[in-house]
Amino acid sequence: MARTHYERITTKQTLNRVKEERMPFDWSINPYRGCGHGCSFCYARAFQSFIGMGAEDEFQHHIFMKSNAAEALEKQLSSAAKKFDHDIEAMQRSIGQVTIGTATDPYQPIESKEGITRECLKLLAKYRISTSITTRSPLVLRDMDILSRMENVSVNMSLNTLNGDIIRKLEPASPHPEGRLDTIHRLSAAGIRTGLFVAPVLPFLTDKESELRELLSQAKVRGVSFAMISLLRLSRDVKKWYIETLKHQFPEVVQPYRELYAQGAYAEEHYVRSFKSMAARLLNECELNGLTPGASAAGVSQSGTIGSGTSQEDGAQVEGARDHLRSAQDLAAVSVKPRKLPQPAAPVSGEELMPDVEQLSFPF
């Protein structure tokens, strides 16, 4: 097994502007480059070419750690605060939504030691920035002391199957599905808005309607507020590595994949149309209606991403889905075992989460 190399780097800015108008957030934060989870299908593998590296083994075995990420973020946020004369609410409205973990998992294994994500999260809480986190890891529970005190925060748990064997073979260092579901339960119980990212759905491996329904149901009974279902996209570099992985782990699907993705990064049109229809139906049945509470229109990307429900299905179908949810709830009630929560080295203090202007104020 290859040994993982960790390299410390510095960054000029931690907050990066998101220019894609279709994205539901304005800024992104990625405390690391590369990811120890090693997901063979990860779209972020393609970003390695930007720094002259490959999308293959280097992605998971050469991790860059932005050691000064918190300091750079403090500089950016304090500068923004000065611009608005320390009116934190005006600054908050101007910045909008910040998402942590768009190109790498902010709670990958090394975070338990380095704590870079935790220090950035403290600053986002301090300046009351609307924050969304996307992760595969229960390590996010370590930061409950911060999350529970943030005004506008959500955590998106990424999980595309309940099949532990598939997870082990294609996401070699990712946490087990039950651990991720338990994380949803604990976050939701603490009042933190939690979503499920069924992403990416893998054709011929995790795309069965019954299995996706079970996954959504299990998340629903654990308190998930919304869900998004996204179909696998394979850019050229990612496709090469993923197909090689399939040759070793699931050789029987290699040729079907080559045919399905023969035209490029996206699956052929007929499959995508069928997938979109199924995904919308499942989200509607489970009443997990997308990223925005109460949304009624489906948001579907070219890759087959669906983040909201569609028109109301007939009563019998919806009632059947509710019966399925009740069965899943009965199962969850007997299968959930208490797990020890990850603990921070030191609990966050009230002063750490208080803007400087408020620390300097005192009554006369």
Side-chain angles (χ1 to χ4, degrees):
M1 180 179 290
R3 183 177 179 180
T4 301
H5 173 65
Y6 297 97
E7 182 177 344
R8 298 184 186 279
I9 60 174
T10 58
T11 182
K12 292 183 179 179
Q13 59 181 39
T14 299
L15 273 178
N16 293 291
R17 171 74 75 176
V18 176
K19 298 179 181 180
E20 175 56 65
E21 295 181 357
R22 294 176 297 176
M23 293 295 101
F25 48 89
D26 306 287
W27 299 86
S28 69
I29 292 178
N30 290 290
Y32 303 93
R33 179 181 285 276
C35 184
H37 286 156
C39 301
S40 57
F41 45 74
C42 183
Y43 64 87
R45 287 179 178 272
F47 301 159
Q48 294 291 88
S49 62
F50 299 160
I51 56 172
M53 298 181 68
E56 302 178 354
D57 233 18
E58 283 181 310
F59 177 76
Q60 65 207 66
H61 293 301
H62 191 157
I63 310 299
F64 294 91
M65 308 179 298
K66 299 178 183 179
S67 56
N68 72 324
E71 290 82 355
L73 179 60
E74 175 78 80
K75 185 176 180 180
Q76 285 180 277
L77 293 178
S78 62
S79 176
K82 290 177 183 177
K83 178 181 177 181
F84 288 92
D85 197 25
H86 297 283
D87 184 335
I88 301 301
E89 291 187 0
M91 169 194 167
Q92 177 193 50
R93 290 192 297 269
S94 174
I95 290 179
Q97 176 85 26
V98 172
T99 292
I100 307 177
T102 58
T104 185
D105 197 316
Y107 287 99
Q108 59 180 284
I110 192 62
E111 169 62 18
S112 64
K113 176 184 177 182
E114 294 295 318
I116 300 174
T117 298
R118 179 174 173 82
E119 293 305 310
C120 290
L121 196 61
K122 287 180 184 178
L123 292 167
L124 294 171
K126 174 180 176 179
Y127 288 94
R128 298 168 189 163
I129 303 300
S130 177
T131 303
S132 175
I133 300 167
T134 300
T135 182
R136 280 174 148 74
S137 177
L139 182 58
V140 67
L141 294 171
R142 178 202 61 189
D143 296 337
M144 288 270 281
D145 57 332
I146 304 173
L147 296 170
S148 60
R149 296 163 73 173
M150 295 180 75
E151 296 179 3
N152 188 2
V153 65
S154 63
V155 176
N156 311 311
M157 184 55 58
S158 185
L159 177 61
N160 61 4
T161 180
L162 294 174
N163 188 321
D165 184 59
I166 292 177
I167 293 287
R168 180 177 58 82
K169 291 178 177 178
L170 299 181
E171 305 177 24
S174 281
H176 190 274
E178 186 57 41
R180 297 189 226 179
L181 290 174
D182 182 58
T183 301
I184 289 173
H185 173 72
R186 292 175 183 264
L187 290 168
S188 300
I192 297 166
R193 188 165 184 263
T194 310
L196 174 69
F197 279 8
V198 186
V201 174
L202 308 175
F204 315 120
L205 294 172
T206 70
D207 60 347
K208 290 183 180 178
E209 183 169 352
S210 60
E211 294 180 6
L212 289 171
R213 180 182 287 107
E214 180 68 15
L215 172 56
L216 291 171
S217 299
Q218 290 289 344
K220 176 79 171 181
V221 299
R222 285 167 171 81
V224 76
S225 300
F226 59 90
M228 181 272 288
I229 303 177
S230 180
L231 185 62
L232 177 68
R233 177 183 180 275
L234 288 174
S235 63
R236 184 178 61 183
D237 291 340
V238 178
K239 182 187 292 187
K240 180 181 178 181
W241 178 254
Y242 182 59
I243 293 297
E244 285 301 312
T245 304
L246 291 179
K247 286 180 182 178
H248 293 285
Q249 303 294 356
F250 301 99
E252 69 279 5
V253 302
V254 170
Q255 188 55 36
Y257 261 97
R258 285 175 171 159
E259 294 173 2
L260 186 63
Y261 286 86
Q263 301 305 312
Y266 298 99
E268 62 93 11
E269 187 176 351
H270 178 75
Y271 180 95
V272 171
R273 283 200 305 268
S274 177
F275 174 82
K276 288 179 181 180
S277 176
M278 175 185 66
R281 181 172 62 254
L282 290 174
L283 289 172
N284 192 61
E285 287 179 10
C286 294
E287 299 178 350
L288 292 171
N289 294 320
L291 304 181
T292 304
S296 59
V300 184
S301 74
Q302 185 181 355
S303 62
T305 300
I306 301 184
S308 62
T310 54
S311 60
Q312 183 68 32
E313 300 290 336
D314 63 84
Q317 188 177 45
V318 172
E319 188 59 37
R322 288 172 179 162
D323 288 341
H324 187 77
L325 287 173
R326 283 191 285 269
S327 297
Q329 190 166 21
D330 291 339
L331 177 62
V334 298
S335 64
V336 172
K337 298 179 181 179
R339 288 180 172 85
K340 186 177 180 180
L341 286 172
Q343 295 297 320
V348 69
S349 67
E351 186 174 291
E352 287 180 280
L353 304 187
M354 184 181 297
D356 296 340
V357 66
E358 293 181 11
Q359 293 183 37
L360 295 172
S361 64
F362 57 90
F364 289 92

